[in-house]
Amino acid sequence: MDHRHLGGSGMLVSSIAYGNWVTHGSQVDRDAATACVRAALDAGITTFDTADVYAETRAEEALGAALKAVRREGVEICTKVYFPTGPGKNGRGLSRKHIMESINGSLRRLGTDYVDLYQTHRYDYATPL
């Protein structure tokens, strides 16, 4: 598997990333999701992309479980923030409050202390850059 630099960050990512948008946690059971992640790892994929909103947060849980036995330093985990993941007037968008609550939830669901890339899923017109 080829690896490329991610922009100007200096971080190398696999040229093919594994995403789990509509599958893990909703359309594919946990064992099948784990088997797919293992096959991706066997193919040399080290970059995994998810989001807190995918499958109502269950996609992050499934990815975290599938990567549990993998050496954390050997993979790049990317997730996203913006969409609502629960009720409440501050549970959406890119306010500092929502970003902090979202990353804490993502870290817990993914079973890790950090993510390698934290992305905004959409521009938030209500929150100045």
Side-chain angles (χ1 to χ4, degrees):
M1 176 68 56
D2 290 332
H3 284 73
R4 301 175 181 167
H5 283 99
L6 180 65
S9 70
M11 183 171 64
L12 290 169
V13 295
S14 54
S15 57
I16 298 173
Y18 182 97
N20 71 347
W21 174 40
V22 295
T23 53
H24 297 180
S26 62
Q27 297 176 350
V28 174
D29 69 30
R30 184 73 55 101
D31 291 339
T34 298
C36 289
V37 168
R38 296 293 157 89
L41 289 163
D42 289 345
I45 294 172
T46 60
T47 306
F48 295 86
D49 177 73
T50 191
D52 58 0
V53 72
Y54 294 169
E56 300 174 342
T57 73
R58 293 185 310 275
E60 285 183 331
E61 292 172 359
L63 183 60
L67 293 173
K68 188 173 181 128
V70 175
R71 189 175 139 272
R72 177 63 183 91
E73 295 80 7
V75 295
E76 303 83 42
I77 300 175
C78 313
T79 194
K80 302 174 201 74
V81 59
Y82 175 82
F83 291 107
T85 54
K89 62 185 182 290
N90 289 307
R92 65 194 70 230
L94 299 177
S95 68
R96 182 182 190 283
K97 179 175 178 56
H98 181 61
I99 289 171
M100 296 304 291
E101 290 172 353
S102 181
I103 190 61
N104 287 334
S106 291
L107 293 172
R108 185 179 63 256
R109 288 185 292 272
L110 290 163
T112 188
D113 294 334
Y114 65 96
V115 295
D116 299 290
L117 178 65
Y118 198 44
Q119 304 166 91
T120 59
H121 220 145
R122 295 282 188 279
Y123 182 80
D124 183 356
Y125 291 96
T127 306
L129 287 176

